[in-house]
Amino acid sequence: MMTLLDRDRLAELDKDSLIAIILEMQEVVQRLEEQVAGLQQEVQELRDQLAKNSRNSGQPPSSDGLKKQPVNLREKGKRRSGGQPGHEGHTLEMVCEPDVIEPHGVETCPHCAADLRDVEPLRVEKRQVFDLPVVRLAVTEHRAEVKQCPGCGQEVRGCFPAGVSQPAQYGPRLKAQAVYLTVYQLLPLARTSELFEDFYGHTPSEALLLAAQSEVAGQVAPALAEVKRQLVESAVAHFDESGLRVEGHLEWLHVAGTAGLTCYAVHPKRGRQAPQAIGILPAFSGRAVHDGWAPYLSFDHCQHALCNAHHLRELLFIVERYQQPWAEDMARLLLDIKAEVEAAPPDWTTLPPDRIIHYERRYQEILQQGFAANPPPAQPVPRKRGRRKQPPAKNLLDRLDRYRAETLAFMYDFRVPFDNNLAERDLRMMKVRQKVSGTFRTRAGADTFCALRSYISTARKQGQNVLQSLQDAFLGQPFMPCRQAE
């Protein structure tokens, strides 16, 4: 620690001593300035973190807590809610052949008490009530004959149908409903058993519900292999990942999908190892749409497209926290391009060359404005291990500059969407499952659930009845995905 000297003692010192004191003071001031700069940066980072929400960052809406919900980035529509003019409405229509007819005759006139039992009716007014019949389980008893052969004396037994292996067991329709409720509608096992008790008077055990999931997961394996094959051959596919708890530990749920296909997989890692193990992205040669996560970009045998919904949120954050006009200009430019792409004639596959040149020039101008507002430090900080920290605005500018072709991919090829919302929608219900049940207790349970959700999501996207698709799978005839038009 520096010794404090008063004026008189300083006056007694020689020139060399004074120079030494001044140099020591400069070193102290420099260290203090570095500490203050570090603290200011830390305070700014903490304030930025507190200011983030689902509107201006990638945080989920659930992280907003009880605060006022942020305004949606989507522009407010000009039409009122509800059915629009010209929309064909849907209402309950009477049927020509009802299942049950209940006549309601008139026997006495309420006005004069005359007997009307022999009077012919002028007309019959009809009202139909649609309701469920009384539901109960139908028990089918299979009886296999046992005979003794008179020739050799051996007993010969009749063959039971395939799948009938126990003295008493549940059939494929009930097991399909169990999987439908637990995997598709996300009901917990205990509540599913209670539902069967209330509906049918039978309470299947939780072990039976889990066994039904494992059984049908094995049956849909050929369909899932076809899903993966078609995803690999797709021209455009979406990729995303999200945290998922398995056996009490944080693991990662990965999804690959198109408008007609979905594949889920759980892996302990979030980075490059996971796509390598899943096997879709390493063999994919089309256009991969994602949020810019670095491990995706490391697969350089395919083209990439970045999610502009993420960019819009980050740009809004820069506008709110740093008041930099270039960010607002960039957001408006991306939305203008999106509007022009959506308004293009159906037979167009890309914007005209002059419009592309115009937008590319404007994109470059905005980047230049952004870099001018975020210059590099005048004196470089001493080099430390790892990547040097930068302000959020500079990080975003570097990404938009380096991946400008990936950011504007939707302008060059209309098959490429503006955002990665398809993958985020595919992940949403899996996150709901985690909120309902908290965690998967076993790795096998997580893998089974992912396999079944992949099958169900694909069937749903391709217009199939989910319950019927599950019943077909139990009977050994799973739905096989059709190739979708690109």
Side-chain angles (χ1 to χ4, degrees), residues 277-477:
I278 296 168
I280 295 176
L281 193 53
F284 181 71
S285 59
R287 176 81 70 169
V289 184
H290 50 81
D291 57 8
W293 176 236
Y296 294 139
L297 293 166
S298 67
F299 291 91
D300 54 6
H301 55 276
C302 64
Q303 295 178 302
H304 297 271
L306 301 188
C307 174
N308 284 300
H310 281 73
H311 289 154
L312 291 179
R313 290 194 288 265
E314 293 181 72
L315 290 167
L316 178 61
F317 178 79
I318 302 303
V319 172
E320 291 180 342
R321 296 295 302 162
Y322 295 90
Q323 294 79 44
Q324 296 189 5
W326 72 267
E328 188 172 0
D329 294 340
M330 180 63 77
R332 176 49 54 191
L333 175 65
L334 293 175
L335 292 174
D336 287 345
I337 302 174
K338 177 176 180 287
E340 185 163 341
V341 169
E342 292 174 347
D347 57 335
W348 285 16
T349 59
T350 184
L351 286 181
D354 60 326
R355 299 302 296 164
I356 290 179
I357 294 174
H358 166 74
Y359 285 128
E360 287 178 339
R361 183 182 299 115
R362 181 64 183 141
Y363 189 91
Q364 176 63 25
E365 292 172 353
I366 296 174
L367 285 181
Q368 291 176 350
Q369 296 171 14
F371 284 119
N374 298 272
Q379 295 181 350
V381 181
R383 185 65 180 171
K384 298 181 180 179
R385 295 184 62 183
R387 191 176 65 175
R388 188 176 64 185
K389 280 190 174 183
Q390 296 188 124
K394 184 63 165 55
N395 287 330
L396 180 57
L397 280 165
D398 289 343
R399 189 191 326 140
L400 293 174
D401 184 31
R402 181 178 180 183
Y403 299 109
R404 62 179 66 197
E406 290 78 5
T407 301
L408 299 176
F410 71 100
M411 175 177 72
Y412 304 122
D413 184 353
F414 286 0
R415 294 175 302 176
V416 180
F418 179 78
D419 50 46
N420 196 31
N421 286 351
L422 185 146
E424 294 185 359
R425 287 194 298 268
D426 286 339
L427 285 176
R428 189 167 297 135
M429 294 311 296
M430 301 291 277
K431 300 298 290 185
V432 172
R433 163 61 172 77
Q434 181 172 274
K435 291 179 180 179
V436 171
S437 300
T439 184
F440 288 95
R441 289 180 289 180
T442 65
R443 155 67 60 171
D447 292 338
T448 297
F449 190 84
C450 286
L452 294 179
R453 285 297 304 199
S454 300
Y455 176 75
I456 288 173
S457 178
T458 299
R460 189 70 173 171
K461 286 180 177 180
Q462 298 198 10
Q464 301 297 312
N465 181 283
V466 173
L467 185 57
Q468 186 62 51
S469 298
L470 290 171
Q471 291 179 13
D472 293 341
F474 272 108
L475 297 174
Q477 300 174 343

Side-chain angles (χ1 to χ4, degrees), residues 121-375:
L122 298 176
R123 62 185 180 277
V124 175
E125 295 181 354
K126 300 178 182 180
R127 296 182 181 180
Q128 295 182 349
V129 177
F130 291 69
D131 202 355
L132 292 172
V134 177
V135 181
R136 58 182 298 272
L137 294 187
V139 180
T140 301
E141 183 174 277
H142 297 269
R143 297 181 178 182
E145 294 181 339
V146 180
K147 296 183 179 180
Q148 186 173 29
C149 177
C152 62
Q154 297 293 325
E155 286 190 353
V156 182
R157 290 177 171 80
C159 297
F160 288 104
V164 180
S165 58
Q166 303 295 327
Q169 65 184 69
Y170 290 111
R173 290 189 183 89
L174 185 138
K175 290 191 288 187
Q177 288 189 14
V179 176
Y180 176 89
L181 292 170
T182 55
V183 178
Y184 185 51
Q185 299 298 344
L186 306 178
L187 285 183
L189 298 176
R191 288 177 57 190
T192 302
S193 297
E194 293 175 3
L195 184 147
F196 279 114
E197 169 63 27
D198 293 339
F199 278 16
Y200 307 131
H202 283 255
T203 310
S205 66
E206 294 186 13
L208 183 136
L209 301 180
L210 293 173
Q213 293 182 13
S214 298
E215 180 182 351
V216 74
Q219 296 283 11
V220 303
L224 299 184
E226 179 64 15
V227 168
K228 283 190 174 183
R229 187 186 70 81
Q230 292 190 25
L231 280 171
V232 169
E233 297 176 357
S234 299
V236 179
H238 296 250
F239 298 88
D240 204 354
E241 81 292 327
S242 182
L244 193 72
R245 300 199 70 82
V246 179
E247 297 178 335
H249 302 287
L250 177 64
E251 297 200 6
W252 295 93
L253 172 69
H254 296 261
V255 63
T258 65
L261 304 165
T262 307
C263 178
Y264 297 103
V266 175
H267 195 274
K269 300 295 184 181
R270 185 187 183 190
R272 183 181 173 88
Q273 296 178 16
Q276 288 280 16
I278 296 168
I280 295 176
L281 193 53
F284 181 71
S285 59
R287 176 81 70 169
V289 184
H290 50 81
D291 57 8
W293 176 236
Y296 294 139
L297 293 166
S298 67
F299 291 91
D300 54 6
H301 55 276
C302 64
Q303 295 178 302
H304 297 271
L306 301 188
C307 174
N308 284 300
H310 281 73
H311 289 154
L312 291 179
R313 290 194 288 265
E314 293 181 72
L315 290 167
L316 178 61
F317 178 79
I318 302 303
V319 172
E320 291 180 342
R321 296 295 302 162
Y322 295 90
Q323 294 79 44
Q324 296 189 5
W326 72 267
E328 188 172 0
D329 294 340
M330 180 63 77
R332 176 49 54 191
L333 175 65
L334 293 175
L335 292 174
D336 287 345
I337 302 174
K338 177 176 180 287
E340 185 163 341
V341 169
E342 292 174 347
D347 57 335
W348 285 16
T349 59
T350 184
L351 286 181
D354 60 326
R355 299 302 296 164
I356 290 179
I357 294 174
H358 166 74
Y359 285 128
E360 287 178 339
R361 183 182 299 115
R362 181 64 183 141
Y363 189 91
Q364 176 63 25
E365 292 172 353
I366 296 174
L367 285 181
Q368 291 176 350
Q369 296 171 14
F371 284 119
N374 298 272

